[in-house]
Amino acid sequence: MAPAAARQGGSLCRTACRQLLFGLLVLSLFCEACKKVTFNVPSKLEAGTLVGRVNLKECLKSTEHISSSDPDFRILEDGSVYTTNIISLSSEKKTFTILLKDIQRHEEKKIHVNLLAHQKKTPKTRHTRDTVLRRTKRRWAPLPSSMMENSLGPFPMQIQQVQSDTAQNYVIHYTAAGPGIDQDPKGLFYIERETGNIFATGPVDREQYPSFQIICYATTPDGYSPEKPLPHIIKIEDDNDNAPFFKQDLFEFVVPEHCNAGTVVGKVIAEDRDEPNTLHTKLRYRIVSEQLPLPQMFSIHPESGVITTQIQQLDREIINRHVLLIEVRDMDGQSFGLCNTGTVVINVGDINDNAPYFGHSFYETKVLENRVNVEILRIPCLDKDEPNSPAWNCRFSIVKGNEDNNFAITTDGRTNEGVLCVVKGLDYETTSLRILEIAASNEIPYAVVPYSSSLSQSSCTVRVTILDDDEGPVFRPCLFPITIDGCMTVGTVVGKYLAEDPETGNSEGIRYRIAPGQSNWITIDENSGELRTAKFFDKDMAGRQCNITVIAVDQSGKTGTGTVLANVGACSRYSYPTVTPKDFTMCRDRKPVYITAVTSNESPYSAPFRFDISDRSMGSGWQTTQQDDRSILLSPRTDIPFGIYKIPINVRDNAGRLGTTMVTVNYCDCTTPSDCGIVRQSSSAITLGVWAILAMILGSLLLLLILITLCGCYGTGAVSKHVPDDLANQNLIISNTEAPGEEVMDPNIIPLQAATVNSCDQGVGMGTIGHEVKTGGQSFEMSKGGHQTLESVRGYGQSTVEQGRYSYSEWQNFMHSRLGEEPIRGHTLIKN
């Protein structure tokens, strides 16, 4: 049964094949032959061998059904032809047909395929391997092959042949592997097994596959490889099949207006996918057109694509936007090169080449007096520059008429208007009209360019009329400074602060009061405006100040305010309380010292006084006991050693003013204070004696200077027989008695027989200088000095009297008639 079934199945298969061939034959009668394709193949093809590739789209662009008239061949969608069985070409030629169908369009096409077999070479006996390896290889390393991109065929198209020198002696089979053969993209190339010819089965896109590197092998039928694997490169030659294109759909640049010619605006960039560094990618740029019919404003560098300005007449206020059409062309800009275009938008940037200006040169407005922070006028500012830019935004200033800063002007950023306001109240009584000059400028400096104005700002005049308003009283001045003496009593008048009606200029009917919450230093009389002190000021408040707000109310109820600046000064008539006396003696019985405070001030800066010891270290050893309003008792707290203690006593008057007195207590080992007083007086006497000695020394030196002067003037009279009358005027005659001596007989002259003035030795005790005058047997002793008696002077070497003396009566007469007596501490000064 099985052989019968096999025979039956084979019969059915043959029947089906005949029907298929018959159907194809019938269809071929109704199909249109598209083209013929010839492939050179080996005489024997293994199953699954690629025969070649057919371009199906050249015959039928849309193919839904592909079939082969020969079942030994299979056709793929890309046109690749593969064997399905082992095929041996009995003859050198084999033919079959590829049928294409488009069912929707009812179209059918056919392609006739011819297979031509290569002739086989006679195999030769292979000798030893060494003999083969020693042969010189000349054709196993061919140059890299190339293929033109997008080649039109015919395909398969031979592009190269590789051969081994060993093929002269042996049968060599050639194979290849790599991209384009057995790797993606598969089936682009194949190599003939017997000949080593390399064929391309269809066109190649260089931008997708610039080159292919395949590996070629040469082997004998028994698998021996007499050659090393050969790397072979197939380069795809570029075809100018790609037009250049811009990297951006739209280029946009900004250039300032009125810029210099040659200013760089921007750069356009284009690319070409063809092979670099060839004419296919050598690009050139040009401006095809500008949007507006103006002189050409811009130029473009043909190689770099940099756009620059050609003239200096770019004015944003005329044209703020330029549109250029740019062309880029390959083949170095030749007319046959491929090209493309792009759009460039150039925006003209604004500069401050237009000064702001006012719509009118004169404006007028009105305002009530005393109004503050009110808007009185809006002034439009016009500018041709770009809105809401620094070159358009206006800034206003009052250049004249606002010396007292009553007005202020700002800018409304939304409308660019100047807003004029009154910031300080205006006074109708002072002036009823104000003339202001207002200027406008921009935020950025004005740029002077050709065809522009030379003025960078504009100005206008504003006339402000001030309307009269019934206003409240006004203090003159608004700030009234006063100085309060620190020792003033409550209710003392310290000033007068008046307000007046600005309409009439008088103060009648105005009432005054201190604003609530103010300092309580002063009060103000409701009717007269007199300021009076309201409190006592202690010395700690000296130098302090306070602002006090005063309110004035007129008969109509309108108010005005003023400020009193009160300064507290030091008390000019105040004397701080003191302790008198300050020196006290305390004996061993430690009887308390009675201390009394005094002051010349009147109440409240007088008694009662409060006492305390300011030095805490002293306060720990001494204590005070209040005796009455003016006195205290001071005594030691514990046993203390004898000595002198200085204790600072603080005395505060009734107003709290403080005075400090240093009290000295001599704690003495005595029974009565007088015992310590004798010692103190002796010590004082000794001290006074030292000063007296110094005074006497200075007096003696002064008298000596006088005598030396007189001796110099009258020294020439020493040889005269008579003593000049005024000699006695310059000397002191020593006398030890208060009463005059004996009477001088001759009251007019003292007869002198021989007059000699000798200088005596200096006294060592007190520095006294003595002189002796001889007069004809009589002598007078004269000395100048301090407290010496006649005996003491003689004890220090005064000369003896050589001759007799006059009687008392003669001396008395002489003294009364010739000299005037002046006692000086036991001396008599002789003078005219």
Side-chain angles (χ1 to χ4, degrees):
M1 292 298 292
R7 286 194 298 272
Q8 185 179 0
S11 176
L12 292 174
C13 183
R14 287 191 294 271
T15 302
C17 289
R18 293 191 190 99
Q19 291 177 355
L20 178 61
L21 291 175
F22 177 77
L24 291 174
L25 179 62
V26 173
L27 287 175
S28 63
L29 297 176
F30 299 97
C31 293
E32 180 182 356
C34 176
K35 64 178 182 178
K36 294 181 180 181
V37 178
T38 301
F39 294 112
N40 296 316
V41 297
S43 59
K44 185 178 180 181
L45 297 176
E46 300 291 338
T49 301
L50 176 65
V51 177
R53 181 179 293 177
V54 180
N55 191 352
L56 303 180
K57 292 185 178 180
E58 291 182 354
C59 293
L60 194 63
K61 292 185 177 180
S62 178
T63 303
E64 297 180 1
H65 179 75
I66 303 173
S67 62
S68 173
S69 62
D70 190 342
D72 291 334
F73 297 94
R74 179 168 56 93
I75 314 301
L76 302 182
E77 292 181 357
D78 62 351
S80 299
V81 180
Y82 286 89
T83 59
T84 59
N85 299 307
I86 299 175
I87 298 175
S88 296
L89 299 180
S90 57
S91 63
E92 294 183 357
K93 184 176 182 181
K94 184 178 179 62
T95 303
F96 66 93
T97 303
I98 300 174
L99 182 62
L100 307 176
K101 290 183 180 180
D102 187 349
I103 299 175
Q104 294 183 355
R105 296 184 181 182
H106 303 286
E107 293 184 8
E108 294 182 357
K109 298 288 182 180
K110 63 180 180 180
I111 301 174
H112 299 288
V113 180
N114 297 322
L115 301 181
L116 298 179
H118 298 293
Q119 294 182 355
K120 294 183 179 179
K121 294 183 180 180
T122 304
K124 299 180 180 179
T125 305
R126 179 170 63 90
H127 299 286
T128 61
R129 180 175 300 181
D130 294 338
T131 305
V132 176
L133 294 177
R134 285 196 296 268
R135 294 183 60 83
T136 303
K137 303 175 179 62
R138 298 182 180 273
R139 294 181 294 173
W140 186 238
L143 295 175
S145 57
S146 63
M147 175 183 175
M148 191 67 187
E149 178 186 15
N150 302 321
S151 175
L152 299 178
F155 297 102
M157 181 177 63
Q158 182 178 352
I159 59 175
Q160 187 58 278
Q161 182 183 25
V162 293
Q163 285 186 333
S164 172
D165 292 339
T166 60
Q168 297 176 4
N169 300 317
Y170 310 105
V171 175
I172 299 297
H173 292 170
Y174 299 96
T175 58
I181 298 179
D182 57 354
Q183 299 177 16
D184 291 333
K186 296 179 180 180
L188 283 180
F189 307 98
Y190 71 89
I191 186 169
E192 284 187 341
R193 184 177 182 185
E194 287 79 11
T195 62
N197 293 328
I198 301 175
F199 291 90
T201 61
V204 181
D205 186 2
R206 189 207 67 85
E207 285 70 40
Q208 188 175 7
Y209 304 108
S211 64
F212 297 88
Q213 185 172 2
I214 63 176
I215 306 296
C216 298
Y217 303 93
T219 60
T220 60
D222 57 0
Y224 172 68
S225 298
E227 303 285 0
K228 292 181 179 179
L230 174 66
H232 183 70
I233 296 176
I234 303 174
K235 180 181 179 184
I236 309 301
E237 297 291 342
D238 184 41
D239 182 25
N240 191 20
D241 59 338
N242 292 280
F245 61 93
F246 288 102
K247 297 183 68 174
Q248 298 175 215
D249 294 335
L250 178 67
F251 292 90
E252 192 166 2
F253 305 108
V254 178
V255 62
E257 61 178 331
H258 299 292
C259 61
N260 296 327
T263 300
V264 175
V265 177
K267 181 180 181 179
V268 295
I269 300 176
E271 291 183 350
D272 196 316
R273 296 179 59 191
D274 289 324
E275 186 174 3
N277 303 318
T278 64
L279 281 175
H280 299 164
T281 55
K282 193 170 186 180
L283 308 181
R284 290 294 181 266
Y285 303 89
R286 72 183 183 94
I287 297 176
V288 177
S289 64
E290 295 187 18
Q291 184 179 17
L292 298 175
L294 293 174
Q296 189 171 0
M297 297 279 188
F298 305 94
S299 63
I300 187 170
H301 193 277
E303 297 180 3
S304 64
V306 175
I307 302 174
T308 57
T309 58
Q310 285 201 144
I311 57 177
Q312 196 180 357
Q313 297 179 2
L314 289 174
D315 193 341
R316 191 205 65 85
E317 287 70 40
I318 298 177
I319 301 175
N320 62 352
R321 189 169 182 263
H322 296 263
V323 180
L324 308 181
L325 184 63
I326 307 296
E327 178 192 83
V328 58
R329 186 181 293 270
D330 61 14
M331 301 300 292
D332 201 18
Q334 299 295 325
S335 59
F336 53 82
L338 302 178
C339 66
N340 211 333
T341 58
T343 302
V344 176
V345 176
I346 301 175
N347 296 307
V348 180
D350 187 36
I351 64 173
N352 192 18
D353 60 334
N354 292 278
Y357 60 94
F358 294 101
H360 303 281
S361 61
F362 179 79
Y363 295 89
E364 189 171 6
T365 185
K366 298 178 181 179
V367 63
L368 283 172
E369 64 174 333
N370 300 320
R371 295 297 177 91
V372 179
N373 297 326
V374 293
E375 178 184 323
I376 62 174
L377 183 64
R378 281 182 170 261
I379 306 174
C381 179
L382 307 177
D383 199 309
K384 295 181 180 179
D385 291 317
E386 184 177 1
N388 300 317
S389 68
W392 178 81
N393 296 332
C394 289
R395 292 293 177 264
F396 300 88
S397 61
I398 304 174
V399 297
K400 188 183 295 184
N402 192 32
E403 288 76 12
D404 50 3
N405 297 322
N406 288 103
F407 302 91
I409 188 167
T410 57
T411 303
D412 187 335
R414 183 178 58 85
T415 62
N416 212 28
E417 293 177 321
V419 182
L420 182 63
C421 300
V422 176
V423 294
K424 289 173 58 178
L426 298 169
D427 189 1
Y428 172 82
E429 288 70 30
T430 303
T431 178
S432 61
L433 179 65
R434 298 289 294 271
I435 305 295
L436 305 178
E437 183 178 344
I438 297 176
S441 60
N442 294 121
E443 290 183 353
I444 60 177
Y446 179 71
V448 179
V449 297
Y451 315 109
S452 66
S453 173
S454 60
L455 297 177
S456 61
Q457 65 179 9
S458 178
S459 62
C460 69
T461 302
V462 178
R463 178 187 177 97
V464 181
T465 301
I466 303 170
L467 303 179
D468 188 20
D469 187 20
D470 187 11
E471 52 190 331
V474 179
F475 282 94
R476 309 280 189 193
C478 61
L479 181 64
F480 182 60
I482 62 172
T483 300
I484 302 174
D485 194 321
C487 57
M488 286 183 176
T489 59
V490 176
T492 304
V493 177
V494 293
K496 192 173 186 179
Y497 195 23
L498 298 178
E500 62 183 28
D501 189 338
E503 309 291 339
T504 61
N506 59 61
S507 303
E508 296 181 359
I510 297 178
R511 292 174 288 107
Y512 305 92
R513 68 173 185 268
I514 301 293
Q518 303 295 307
S519 173
N520 60 347
W521 287 8
I522 61 173
T523 60
I524 188 169
D525 188 270
E526 182 179 7
N527 299 315
S528 64
E530 287 185 344
L531 303 173
R532 299 176 181 271
T533 58
K535 60 175 294 184
F536 292 109
F537 299 92
D538 55 28
K539 70 175 184 178
D540 295 335
M541 296 184 64
R544 296 177 60 182
Q545 65 179 16
C546 179
N547 292 333
I548 303 172
T549 301
V550 180
I551 300 175
V553 184
D554 62 11
Q555 294 178 351
S556 63
K558 294 187 176 180
T559 62
T561 59
T563 303
V564 175
L565 178 59
N567 292 278
V568 179
C571 182
S572 59
R573 303 186 308 274
Y574 179 79
S575 60
Y576 295 100
T578 60
V579 172
T580 182
K582 302 178 183 178
D583 298 328
F584 300 92
T585 301
M586 179 182 291
C587 289
R588 69 174 66 95
D589 59 359
R590 295 169 53 185
K591 183 178 181 180
V593 176
Y594 187 78
I595 295 177
T596 302
V598 296
T599 183
S600 60
N601 300 327
E602 299 179 356
S603 178
Y605 305 105
S606 59
F609 298 114
R610 288 171 295 161
F611 301 81
D612 60 65
I613 300 174
S614 62
D615 191 344
R616 293 183 180 180
S617 61
M618 285 293 182
S620 61
W622 296 81
Q623 62 182 358
T624 60
T625 303
Q626 191 79 27
Q627 186 72 7
D628 52 32
D629 290 347
R630 297 178 178 271
S631 304
I632 61 170
L633 295 177
L634 178 64
S635 61
R637 292 180 183 272
T638 59
D639 292 337
I640 58 175
F642 296 110
I644 298 176
Y645 296 87
K646 294 185 179 296
I647 306 170
I649 302 297
N650 291 336
V651 183
R652 297 180 185 269
D653 60 19
N654 192 32
R657 295 180 179 268
L658 173 66
T660 302
T661 304
M662 186 64 70
V663 174
T664 302
V665 178
N666 183 9
Y667 183 35
C668 181
D669 186 10
C670 61
T671 304
T672 61
S674 59
D675 296 341
C676 291
I678 294 174
V679 176
R680 182 177 59 188
Q681 290 175 3
S682 299
S683 176
S684 301
I686 294 172
T687 303
L688 292 176
V690 172
W691 285 104
I693 292 172
L694 293 176
M696 287 187 291
I697 292 174
L698 293 176
S700 300
L701 294 176
L702 179 61
L703 291 177
L704 177 60
L705 179 61
I706 295 173
L707 286 176
I708 292 173
T709 303
L710 291 177
C711 290
C713 294
Y714 298 99
T716 55
V719 295
S720 175
K721 293 182 180 181
H722 296 87
V723 177
D725 294 341
D726 56 355
L727 178 62
N729 297 341
Q730 305 166 14
N731 294 277
L732 289 175
I733 299 176
I734 300 173
S735 174
N736 225 5
T737 61
E738 295 295 332
E742 294 180 355
E743 182 177 359
V744 178
M745 300 302 297
D746 189 355
N748 295 321
I749 190 171
I750 300 175
L752 301 175
Q753 294 179 358
T756 303
V757 180
N758 294 329
S759 178
C760 300
D761 294 336
Q762 296 180 355
V764 296
M766 299 299 296
T768 304
I769 300 175
H771 299 276
E772 180 182 12
V773 180
K774 295 181 181 181
T775 58
Q778 299 179 353
S779 65
F780 300 95
E781 297 175 2
M782 297 172 291
S783 68
K784 181 173 66 174
H787 300 277
Q788 289 79 5
T789 60
L790 182 59
E791 289 80 9
S792 65
V793 173
R794 286 175 182 175
Y796 284 99
Q798 184 179 3
S799 300
T800 58
V801 179
E802 296 179 358
Q803 296 181 2
R805 302 176 180 271
Y806 280 92
S807 64
Y808 168 78
S809 60
E810 291 176 348
W811 172 253
Q812 185 178 22
N813 292 334
F814 173 77
M815 291 296 293
H816 281 285
S817 61
R818 302 290 293 181
L819 304 173
E821 290 184 356
E822 182 177 350
I824 302 176
R825 293 188 180 182
H827 301 77
T828 301
L829 177 63
I830 304 175
K831 62 180 181 178
N832 291 330

